[in-house]
Amino acid sequence: MYGQAFVERRSNNWGRIEGTPTPLGAVWVDQGNACNFALYSRYATGVTLLLYSPQDVVIPVLSFPMNYLKNKTGRVWHCRIPASQVPEGGYYGYRVTGPLDPDRGHYFDPDKVLLDPHARGVFFPENFSRELARSEGSNDGSAPLGLIPRKEESFDWGGDRRPLHGHDTVIYELHVKGFTKLDGQISPEKRGTFAGLAEKIPYLQELGVTVLELLPVHQYDPQEGNYWGYMTLNFFTPHVSYGKEAGAPDAVLREFREMVKAFHAAGIEVVLDVVYNHTAEGDQRGPTYSFRGIDNRSYYLMSADGKEYRNDAGTGNVLDSSNQGVQRMIVDSLNYWTHEMRVDGFRFDLATIFTRDREGRVNLDDPPIISAISGLEFYAPIRLIAEAWDPLSYQLGHDFPGITWLQWNGRFRDEVRAFVRGDRGRVASFMSSLYGSDDLFPDNLADAYHAYQSVNFITAHDGFCLYDLVAYNEKHNLANGHNNEDGADYNLSWNCGWEGDEGAPPEVLELRRRQVKNFCCILFLSNGTPMFRAGDEFMNTQHGNNNPYNQDNETSWLDWNLLEKNREIFRFFKEMISFRKAHPSLGRSRFWRDDVSWYGASGGVDYGDDSHAVAFCLRGASQRDCDIYVMINAYWEDLPFIVQEKKPGEWRRVVDTSLPSPEDIVDQNGPTVLSSRKYLVRARSVVVLVGAVPV
């Protein structure tokens, strides 16, 4: 015992003198009243810590060159600086020396001030310049800097508890800034911020969504031009512009936590769209902010000869998630957002990048980073959601190695769009999508996937919004001086007979509203986890732009005037969400199996190329739910359907998308009782019937 205590004391003394290699980043150490700095760099030959006062971000108040015999452990450089030398409210960065040898993938440049990848706050000086970071020479006074931590009171989470939703899960994808930027009900200083988003809780509760999926909120490059936020600069910091106190990195941390706490109190989960596959630094022509100058060869996947960046993500570079330093950064970041910021899950952009090894080969057996991320579920009940494709590979469903992860189901999107549009030969694949996509997520003995692992969506940020899906055949992506014609090419849209809004006849506008309701119905009647994008519930439009990644303007910001104009569409979404929540037989852990029977318009299913009609009866007794009968007519003419189950008087009609509001969706205990087995389903419409709740 004495020996152990002696070793601990000696070890602690060494840490006070030399610093410690864990945790990475800058952390305040109460014992010794100091700040510990730790930076991963395998190939660096020297590291100098720079500390700046708030009054001068050009000339550091302290430059501390690290001695590898004293301040390095393995591949981590570290030091501990006493409080007397750490400026209050100050910032820090690094200069890193090493070989400048692009032919071997090394881009060390001692002239550049570099941001710590593990910084828990990012400060942008007044003269911040992306261009100087791209050019040769010094970027002193123009580089982003990390926030020096100080001892402070921890955030009061009070009685905060994570909401955990099951069959009632409804995911709502939104952009923090775009959601409230034009909302006149929110004070101007809060529009486009985390605080402004929290003020929309009553609206979100009325709509009925239970999970918010926020487009990237990690600090991204404010001068790169990616409005969506998919060009990450730092993985530990909320984007400072989303705070109502402009330029205050410590304040935005508090504001984000306050937002999460408020959503949890309202029973709403918060999920982050995260981008751990690439960074804002791009290829060799991009800026040197952080990773490239600290250890390019370790952070990024390079070509076999080391001369070029692999571009599997289509963005200029790819993080090397097979590298232990990158893996550690990703897992540390996820742990930080899970435990310190209390988010409830993550949607991983281009998640198949995680299956790449050092040579860029795909490893589907057991990629280490997938296993490490999956292990986080053991410590916190979080959602892991994969976008299971990238420009070079498609691993949707059982092909993706994250066996417990949910996945964005792009096949569901395409099949539903095609069937509702009226494409030929789509009945079988459409039925499979309604059922839960068991061909992608098989529930056989060997696999036993869950139906809820399919995240069903018809629209997302990438591609047409729902109204534009029924209003445009072509992309209209030239706007505000930007050319973003390289939009998604899978729109499968149909303009209902007229391109755009200008001069559109009343019958076209009416059909568009019905098609929006049809899509809404199908989404919430399908087995799986439903997701839709913000604004679709009141037919927000981007005027035919299917790729507004660079449109930080009215093209992408939600137009809240459309909520009043299209109030009946909002009501329809709200009632369909309520209907789904009231019927656990729809969204199940497992597939419907023997509880469902499939029909056509007048008997058995017609799988022919010219068939555009599907009906099904979902029996709910096993879930202590009522039976549901659905008739879907995607044909351009009315079709008589024959209800194949129960007697006529045992069914009540709750939905008919061909009817005007409020008759289009009514309370399931309402008076509309079927008096005949025959029901004329109007062209391009959906009808839903319910039976009595089993005793």
Side-chain angles (χ1 to χ4, degrees):
M1 179 64 70
Y2 175 82
Q4 180 179 346
F6 177 78
V7 170
E8 288 176 350
R9 287 198 301 272
R10 287 295 303 272
S11 177
N12 287 338
N13 286 335
W14 289 334
R16 292 191 189 101
I17 298 170
E18 302 175 354
T20 58
T22 57
L24 290 172
V27 295
W28 188 258
V29 183
D30 287 336
Q31 187 180 16
N33 199 29
C35 193
N36 194 87
F37 297 86
L39 181 74
Y40 177 93
S41 182
R42 177 181 182 180
Y43 294 104
T45 58
V47 173
T48 300
L49 172 68
L50 309 172
L51 302 184
Y52 298 88
S53 73
Q55 292 74 37
D56 188 348
V57 294
V58 179
I59 301 175
V61 296
L62 176 68
S63 294
F64 185 90
M66 299 186 194
N67 183 335
Y68 81 93
L69 292 176
K70 180 179 179 182
N71 303 113
K72 188 170 185 282
T73 301
R75 299 173 181 178
V76 179
W77 299 75
H78 51 80
C79 65
R80 188 164 296 183
I81 306 298
S84 59
Q85 294 181 269
V86 178
E88 186 75 31
Y91 313 108
Y92 74 103
Y94 291 99
R95 293 193 195 277
V96 181
T97 58
L100 177 58
D101 188 355
D103 287 344
R104 295 176 54 212
H106 296 304
Y107 288 89
F108 291 99
D109 183 353
D111 287 337
K112 290 290 185 285
V113 176
L114 302 172
L115 175 67
D116 180 3
H118 283 71
R120 271 28 174 208
V122 178
F123 171 76
F124 292 91
E126 183 178 354
N127 295 322
F128 167 69
S129 172
R130 175 182 175 86
E131 187 57 36
L132 280 179
R134 292 179 65 247
S135 309
E136 293 184 2
S138 170
N139 65 341
D140 290 88
S142 69
L145 302 172
L147 179 67
I148 296 176
R150 302 292 294 201
K151 182 178 180 180
E152 60 181 30
E153 293 184 8
S154 60
F155 182 79
D156 181 12
W157 286 100
D160 177 74
R161 298 183 64 182
R162 296 180 185 275
L164 298 174
H165 293 283
H167 84 274
D168 62 336
T169 298
V170 177
I171 301 176
Y172 187 71
E173 187 199 36
L174 63 82
H175 187 284
V176 170
K177 180 177 182 179
F179 192 66
T180 62
K181 185 64 177 176
L182 297 179
D183 191 340
Q185 301 299 313
I186 295 177
S187 58
E189 70 275 8
K190 291 185 179 180
R191 294 174 194 168
T193 69
F194 296 125
L197 179 56
E199 289 197 3
K200 298 299 292 184
I201 286 175
Y203 171 83
L204 297 168
Q205 287 179 310
E206 181 185 2
L207 180 58
V209 298
T210 57
V211 178
L212 294 190
E213 184 171 299
L214 308 183
L215 265 68
V217 300
H218 288 169
Q219 180 63 61
Y220 56 86
D221 182 352
Q223 293 184 357
E224 192 276 336
N226 192 300
Y227 160 74
W228 284 346
Y230 285 94
M231 298 299 278
T232 310
L233 178 63
N234 178 271
F235 297 104
F236 292 83
T237 305
H239 189 59
V240 70
S241 296
Y242 294 162
K244 62 181 183 293
E245 298 182 38
D250 51 347
V252 76
L253 292 171
R254 181 177 63 255
E255 191 173 321
F256 182 90
R257 290 180 171 118
E258 290 170 347
M259 178 197 70
V260 171
K261 183 178 178 180
F263 278 118
H264 284 182
I268 299 174
E269 299 177 37
V270 177
V271 169
L272 304 186
D273 190 339
V274 290
V275 190
Y276 293 111
N277 57 79
H278 69 276
T279 77
E281 291 186 318
D283 59 19
Q284 61 272 13
R285 296 164 297 181
T288 298
Y289 288 130
S290 179
F291 314 94
R292 189 198 319 279
I294 290 171
D295 192 354
N296 182 78
R297 189 67 179 167
S298 291
Y299 276 105
Y300 295 119
L301 282 178
M302 307 297 291
S303 60
D305 59 10
K307 296 181 180 181
E308 296 180 353
Y309 288 85
R310 288 188 61 91
N311 192 23
D312 299 359
T315 55
N317 64 50
V318 179
L319 281 171
D320 182 7
S321 58
S322 68
N323 178 276
Q324 62 175 305
V326 177
Q327 289 180 23
R328 183 173 173 184
M329 178 186 70
I330 292 172
V331 173
D332 283 354
S333 171
L334 293 169
N335 269 315
Y336 175 74
W337 288 95
T338 299
H339 299 290
E340 298 297 324
M341 309 297 269
R342 302 235 181 154
V343 303
D344 303 290
F346 306 91
R347 178 266 187 188
F348 294 86
D349 177 67
L350 304 181
T352 55
I353 294 292
F354 289 153
T355 64
R356 302 288 199 280
D357 65 14
R358 183 69 188 172
E359 284 71 42
R361 297 170 301 198
V362 173
N363 170 19
L364 294 180
D365 294 328
D366 188 24
I369 187 60
I370 297 284
S371 297
I373 294 172
S374 299
L376 297 175
E377 293 179 298
F378 179 79
Y379 300 100
I382 58 174
R383 297 181 186 272
L384 301 177
I385 306 172
E387 182 186 30
W389 61 83
D390 62 55
L392 299 181
S393 73
Y394 203 76
Q395 299 169 16
L396 182 60
H398 56 83
D399 289 335
F400 183 71
I403 59 173
T404 64
W405 294 35
L406 282 67
Q407 299 179 37
W408 273 26
N409 190 344
R411 245 264 304 277
F412 177 95
R413 171 201 61 206
D414 295 347
E415 293 300 337
V416 171
R417 288 183 177 190
F419 182 82
V420 173
R421 186 171 67 171
D423 287 11
R424 301 176 75 244
R426 295 286 183 161
V427 168
S429 55
F430 176 66
M431 289 167 54
S432 176
S433 297
L434 289 171
Y435 183 72
S437 303
D438 64 324
D439 54 336
L440 296 172
F441 302 91
D443 62 344
N444 53 38
L445 177 62
D447 298 297
Y449 280 91
H450 297 262
Y452 64 75
Q453 289 181 257
S454 171
V455 175
N456 299 334
F457 68 102
I458 295 162
T459 60
H461 67 276
D462 189 5
F464 278 154
C465 55
L466 188 56
Y467 178 73
D468 290 2
L469 188 68
V470 301
Y472 294 90
N473 284 353
E474 306 295 333
K475 298 179 289 187
H476 298 260
N477 291 6
L478 290 173
N480 300 297
H482 291 84
N483 183 346
N484 50 341
E485 282 293 332
D486 295 329
D489 59 359
Y490 49 70
N491 286 311
L492 291 169
S493 61
W494 177 53
N495 63 15
C496 297
W498 193 275
E499 187 72 2
D501 283 342
E502 186 175 353
E507 60 271 18
V508 169
L509 297 176
E510 190 281 327
L511 177 56
R512 289 175 180 173
R513 301 173 95 79
R514 192 188 321 159
Q515 289 287 70
V516 166
K517 294 177 186 177
N518 292 337
F519 279 122
C520 176
C521 264
I522 291 166
L523 177 64
F524 292 113
L525 292 171
S526 300
N527 200 5
T529 299
M531 181 192 82
F532 66 104
R533 63 180 286 173
D536 281 352
E537 71 274 17
F538 54 80
M539 300 202 307
N540 189 65
T541 178
Q542 294 172 171
H543 308 289
N545 193 323
N546 80 326
N547 191 33
Y549 73 94
N550 59 358
Q551 300 296 311
D552 188 1
N553 50 53
E554 288 84 353
T555 299
S556 295
W557 303 340
L558 265 61
D559 181 359
W560 287 94
N561 293 319
L562 293 173
L563 174 60
E564 293 307 315
K565 179 180 179 181
N566 301 313
R567 177 64 69 170
E568 78 276 11
I569 301 297
F570 171 82
R571 173 186 174 272
F572 192 90
F573 267 78
K574 179 178 71 171
E575 295 300 329
M576 276 305 304
I577 292 172
S578 178
F579 181 83
R580 181 180 180 87
K581 290 180 178 180
H583 295 287
S585 60
L586 288 169
R588 305 189 187 189
S589 171
R590 305 292 177 171
F591 295 93
W592 293 338
R593 288 189 171 271
D594 295 338
D595 282 347
V596 68
S597 295
W598 298 94
Y599 304 103
S602 58
V605 180
D606 181 355
Y607 293 102
D609 285 349
D610 294 322
S611 174
H612 301 276
V614 172
F616 67 90
C617 182
L618 181 60
R619 289 171 287 278
S622 66
Q623 311 297 311
R624 297 183 179 180
D625 195 3
C626 65
D627 295 344
I628 300 172
Y629 199 96
V630 178
M631 296 174 281
I632 305 172
N633 179 13
Y635 194 47
W636 41 90
E637 296 181 6
D638 299 350
L639 291 177
F641 276 66
I642 305 297
V643 180
Q644 301 294 319
E645 302 200 17
K646 291 183 182 293
K647 297 177 181 179
E650 296 179 305
W651 290 112
R652 295 175 182 270
R653 189 197 72 222
V654 293
V655 175
D656 187 336
T657 61
S658 71
L659 298 176
S661 181
E663 286 82 15
D664 52 358
I665 182 166
V666 299
D667 188 279
Q668 68 182 43
N669 296 317
T672 310
V673 179
L674 260 64
S675 59
S676 170
R677 291 182 60 201
K678 295 181 179 179
Y679 194 102
L680 186 65
V681 181
R682 298 295 181 180
R684 301 190 187 275
S685 61
V686 178
V687 175
V688 181
L689 313 175
V690 296
V693 177
V695 178

